[in-house]
Amino acid sequence: MEIIHCGYGEFAREQSIEPVIWPFFDLFVIHQGMIEICIGRKTKYHLSPNEALLICPNTQFSGMSKSDNVVASVHHFALSPESEEEVVKFFCGLCKSALYIPLDSSLMGDIERSLSLNDSVLNEVFTSEIQKHFLYIILGQIIVKLNKELYHSKYKSAFGMLIDSYYSNPQQTLKVSEMAERLNLSVSHFRAEFYKQYGEPPQRYLLKVKMKVACQLLERTQQSIKVISNSLGYTELSDFYRNFKNIVNTTPALYRKHRKFLG
């Protein structure tokens, strides 16, 4: 790693960063206030404390502080293609331009502030080495965080497709074992991952989806409650009434009557 420049300091309100393209990485970390970073002409990021933006090499960006007394760290650095090729591929593969990262910046701010205050006392080579290892730690934290997010987002996408298909066909009866098999997961693993994403068991969540469809049909159509019950896969009207009241806290008839009164 080569440290091009590391800075820590305050920005006045509406202090601007003119459009620029650097052939290296830029890491902006906000410790206080708010700053806006524009990537190219279209994408804007509004960074607040404990938020960071990693900008890939050869990306045009500009910016402006959006509040008084903005305090930020700016790191310009290059990674060696030979010794750090996998790291370069990792970040550039994830983002062709910039990557937004929620990050605890309190420790970073303390270290940056200490380095800036002791700049005249500390040896330049020593300071550079601290900055270099400091950046390695930050990049390591980012990689761990992103790997976790990618791991969970893989399941989130699969769960989303599963729920979308259920919305389209709410009369189907899905067993947890069937859903787990679709995602090539064990039942216990499926339950655990689903709960992480949605905060409740899969069957309870899907029942809420089914009752949401029931509410839409009660509001938007003149179909009888029995017809709606049948369309949602119920063979017994009493089962539909019981589940509806369990989720919506009222009966289908009262729900329809109340919605008509409101609308």
Side-chain angles (χ1 to χ4, degrees), residues 56-262:
C56 287
N58 304 310
T59 299
Q60 179 177 311
F61 66 91
S62 60
M64 178 177 291
S65 57
K66 306 298 286 186
S67 63
D68 295 323
N69 302 319
V70 174
V71 180
S73 302
V74 183
H75 305 260
H76 308 298
F77 62 97
L79 296 173
S80 167
E82 296 79 20
S83 60
E84 296 155 319
E85 180 179 3
E86 292 305 315
V87 179
V88 175
K89 285 182 178 178
F90 178 83
F91 285 116
C92 290
L94 280 175
C95 57
K96 300 302 181 185
S97 54
L99 184 66
Y100 163 79
I101 312 144
L103 198 66
D104 183 356
S105 67
S106 56
L107 176 62
M108 296 175 64
D110 290 342
I111 295 175
E112 292 288 355
R113 186 160 48 252
S114 177
L115 289 174
S116 63
L117 291 173
N118 293 286
D119 186 49
S120 59
V121 178
L122 297 174
N123 179 281
E124 184 178 340
V125 175
F126 179 71
T127 302
S128 177
E129 285 301 306
I130 291 178
Q131 291 283 12
K132 185 182 297 185
H133 290 291
F134 182 45
L135 269 174
Y136 275 129
I137 292 171
I138 295 170
L139 295 177
Q141 289 176 335
I142 292 172
I143 288 172
V144 170
K145 182 177 180 64
L146 290 173
N147 274 331
K148 286 182 178 178
E149 290 179 352
L150 287 172
Y151 175 77
H152 290 304
S153 68
K154 176 179 68 174
Y155 291 116
K156 187 173 182 179
S157 174
F159 288 144
M161 292 175 65
L162 189 68
I163 291 167
D164 286 344
S165 71
Y166 193 74
Y167 261 116
S168 303
N169 190 17
Q171 75 272 19
Q172 62 183 308
T173 301
L174 281 178
K175 295 181 179 179
V176 174
S177 57
E178 294 172 351
M179 293 186 282
E181 187 177 352
R182 290 189 191 183
L183 272 63
N184 295 317
L185 296 174
S186 68
V187 171
S188 59
H189 192 182
F190 177 86
R191 288 183 187 276
E193 292 298 334
F194 194 97
Y195 196 90
K196 284 181 186 177
Q197 293 292 338
Y198 298 101
E200 56 188 345
Q203 294 290 37
R204 176 73 177 177
Y205 188 90
L206 292 181
L207 180 58
K208 286 184 175 180
V209 169
K210 183 172 286 194
M211 292 306 106
K212 184 176 181 179
V213 175
C215 289
Q216 292 171 347
L217 292 172
L218 287 166
E219 291 178 39
R220 301 172 186 176
T221 74
Q222 298 300 317
Q223 294 176 10
S224 70
I225 293 173
K226 184 172 178 57
V227 169
I228 291 174
S229 172
N230 291 338
S231 72
L232 294 174
Y234 288 96
T235 55
E236 296 293 335
L237 186 59
S238 59
D239 291 337
F240 172 66
Y241 266 87
R242 185 179 63 256
N243 286 335
F244 190 93
K245 191 166 185 179
N246 181 19
I247 299 299
V248 190
N249 294 319
T250 188
T251 65
L254 286 175
Y255 180 88
R256 173 174 271 173
K257 182 178 180 180
H258 181 64
R259 288 292 166 173
K260 283 184 176 179
F261 176 77
L262 290 177

Side-chain angles (χ1 to χ4, degrees), residues 15 17 26-30 33-49 51-56 59-67 70 91 94-102 146:
Q15 182 175 339
I17 303 170
D26 287 89
L27 177 65
F28 287 84
V29 184
I30 309 305
M34 179 181 288
I35 192 167
E36 178 184 89
I37 302 292
C38 300
I39 305 298
R41 297 181 179 180
K42 296 182 179 180
T43 307
K44 289 185 179 180
Y45 295 92
H46 293 88
L47 303 179
S48 299
E51 295 178 340
L53 190 68
L54 181 67
I55 302 174
C56 287
T59 299
Q60 179 177 311
F61 66 91
S62 60
M64 178 177 291
S65 57
K66 306 298 286 186
S67 63
V70 174
F91 285 116
L94 280 175
C95 57
K96 300 302 181 185
S97 54
L99 184 66
Y100 163 79
I101 312 144
L146 290 173

